[in-house]
Amino acid sequence: MSARPRVGIIGGGISGLAAAHRLTRRGVPVVLLEGSDQLGGLGTFFRAGEEWIERFYHCIMPTDAHLLAVLAELGLADSVEWRKTRMGLIVDNVRYPFNTAADLLRFRPLTLPQRVRLGVVSVLLRRLGEGKDLDNIRTEEWLRGLYGDAIWERLFRGLFASKFGPAVGDVPALYLWQRMGREKNVSVRGYPDGGYKSIIEGLRASIEAGGGLVRTRAPVSSLSASPSGCRMVLPDGTAVDTDWVVSTAPLPLLRRVADAELSTRLPTIDLRYQGVVNAVFFLDRPLEGRYWSPVLDSGTEFDGVVDMSALTGTTRHGHLVYTMRYTDRSSALFAEDERAIAERWSAQLLALYPDLRPEILDVRIFKAPFVEPVYPLGYAALRPPVEIPGTRLLLATSGQVYPNVTSWNSSVGLANEVVDGLLARPELAPRPAQLAGERGGR
């Protein structure tokens, strides 16, 4: 890179990659620093035979406009294969399809009146939330009022506990309401040919073609930011000076590297995060073709089964299935040895499908400490600003996508917002020649 980087980006997940991609397309010199050995954040991958497999499951929804726009810019839009997917529910070790009105009427964990109430209220739920201050209403309070105590206790408490742990019910109802706009039980989902690795590699190639510098194994150990610029220091003492920094690191991590002066300016909100323990199974045969099946009251430590082969097809290494448990990064499960988890979860998975008698060909365990923010009531007013006052530090973290669901699409949308703000500054405004180059398919 011939000039001093105008913008430094901390973190090589999708937010950081998307921001760097957009900036370099507009002619802004960028340096991106990722602490691990892979780009992609939760989109990282591992080798299984001759194939690369994601450590954590992903899919693309037709409503993911921000992500799909990036894929179009990378020439990857046509690589997405769209499939109609189905959902199941596993309750008390019984597997139920959960996609149609007929499935609901046959759902025995609820009485017939409860099934009817569940169906009617679910159809009307989006409308019932319009005009309400759902950001200040607890999910449990809202859903108990609509569905009744029995449905909350039998169904929704377990579903939300699997995502938010001890905070089940306390998360603002706005988050649930917003999520319903993205996902349905029967839904078309997409997956790119070449997996998410192809997206990550495409973004890196775009950044580097635009003159940007991308570094892995480059954790930031110290960060200072002032009204005139920023300095990132690596563990070996190397200092990287930039005019601005965009940090995609969760606030708890950012506080660890911020110097004393910057620490006083960072948002003070104590936003908790759930981590995740994720198992990747390779089976000798398919399960039931249900992409997503929450697991309730069935004696498993994991809370859901994702039959990924229903979306991606069979890998050469076997039929791909994910199971997961969201948990605090300080929990005993998160700290436990992966081999012990793999042994227990293998037995638990086989117990759920005794009639299918799948053989487990291989299993891998992966963990991530910062996955799902646990939002408090009234978070819309508490959400950290993009720009840290008195500095040239900008934030693009998962804690700022609220009320949108945590996803690659929301992260790209947030990155776009941050970049738009940067490009609005006169000193970074693209020159006419740069705009012409972008329109010409640079």
Side-chain angles (χ1 to χ4, degrees), residues 151-232:
I151 295 176
W152 167 262
E153 294 293 345
R154 192 69 175 107
L155 192 61
F156 287 119
R157 177 183 290 279
L159 290 174
F160 279 91
S162 70
K163 197 76 166 178
F164 300 109
V168 56
D170 291 335
V171 173
L174 180 60
Y175 182 83
L176 165 72
W177 188 78
Q178 192 77 9
R179 188 184 187 100
M180 290 188 62
R182 183 176 187 260
E183 301 177 12
K184 297 179 176 62
N185 290 11
V186 179
S187 183
V188 172
R189 289 177 168 85
Y191 187 80
D193 184 27
Y196 274 60
K197 185 173 184 286
S198 66
I199 303 175
I200 295 164
E201 290 178 340
L203 285 167
R204 179 170 192 162
S206 169
I207 295 163
E208 293 178 338
L213 175 64
V214 177
R215 292 188 58 184
T216 56
R217 296 187 175 91
V220 174
S221 59
S222 177
L223 173 66
S224 58
S226 71
S228 58
C230 302
R231 169 166 287 191
M232 300 174 288

Side-chain angles (χ1 to χ4, degrees), residues 89-98 100-116 118 150-151 154-155 290 296-297:
L89 260 177
I90 303 175
V91 183
D92 296 329
N93 289 289
V94 179
R95 307 190 308 268
Y96 298 92
F98 209 73
T100 66
D103 291 339
L104 177 58
L105 290 174
R106 290 191 289 263
F107 185 61
R108 293 194 301 273
L110 298 179
T111 66
L112 182 58
Q114 290 167 356
R115 299 171 209 169
V116 173
L118 175 62
I151 295 176
R154 192 69 175 107
L155 192 61
R290 295 168 187 161
L296 302 175
D297 302 320

Side-chain angles (χ1 to χ4, degrees), residues 19 39 45 57 120 126 132 178 187 217 281 312 381 386 423 433:
L39 300 172
F45 38 83
Y57 66 96
V120 172
R126 286 288 294 179
K132 290 184 170 55
Q178 192 77 9
S187 183
R217 296 187 175 91
F281 291 96
T312 65
V386 166
L423 293 177

Side-chain angles (χ1 to χ4, degrees), residues 43-45 51-54 56 58-60 71 76 79-81 190-202 308 312 320 322 408:
T44 53
F45 38 83
E51 297 175 285
W52 291 98
I53 307 295
E54 279 93 39
F56 307 94
H58 297 278
C59 71
I60 301 172
L71 297 188
L76 295 175
S79 76
V80 179
E81 182 176 354
Y191 187 80
D193 184 27
Y196 274 60
K197 185 173 184 286
S198 66
I199 303 175
I200 295 164
E201 290 178 340
M308 197 67 186
T312 65
L320 188 60
Y322 292 84
W408 271 37

Side-chain angles (χ1 to χ4, degrees), residues 25-29 428-440 442:
R25 280 171 62 88
R26 302 298 286 270
V28 178
L428 279 185
R431 295 184 294 274
Q434 293 169 344
L435 289 173
E438 185 176 40
R439 287 194 294 268
R442 171 184 167 186

Side-chain angles (χ1 to χ4, degrees), residues 42 253 273-276 327-329 334 367-372:
L42 290 175
L253 292 183
Y273 281 81
Q274 286 280 82
V276 72
T327 183
D328 190 272
R329 60 191 179 277
F334 198 87
K367 302 173 184 178
F370 298 95
V371 177
E372 189 69 41

Side-chain angles (χ1 to χ4, degrees), residues 283-357:
L283 307 181
D284 70 332
R285 65 195 65 188
L287 294 179
E288 294 175 304
R290 295 168 187 161
Y291 174 76
W292 168 233
S293 295
V295 181
L296 302 175
D297 302 320
S298 296
T300 64
E301 292 177 90
F302 52 81
D303 300 310
V305 177
V306 174
D307 187 350
M308 197 67 186
S309 291
L311 179 61
T312 65
T314 305
T315 73
R316 289 192 293 271
H317 207 55
H319 294 270
L320 188 60
V321 169
Y322 292 84
T323 64
M324 74 298 302
R325 173 67 178 267
Y326 290 87
T327 183
D328 190 272
R329 60 191 179 277
S330 64
S331 69
L333 177 64
F334 198 87
E336 190 175 4
D337 179 74
E338 286 84 355
R339 290 171 296 182
I341 298 172
E343 182 177 351
R344 286 200 312 277
W345 288 21
S346 294
Q348 293 168 13
L349 179 67
L350 294 177
L352 291 179
Y353 298 89
D355 52 322
L356 300 181
R357 305 180 70 177

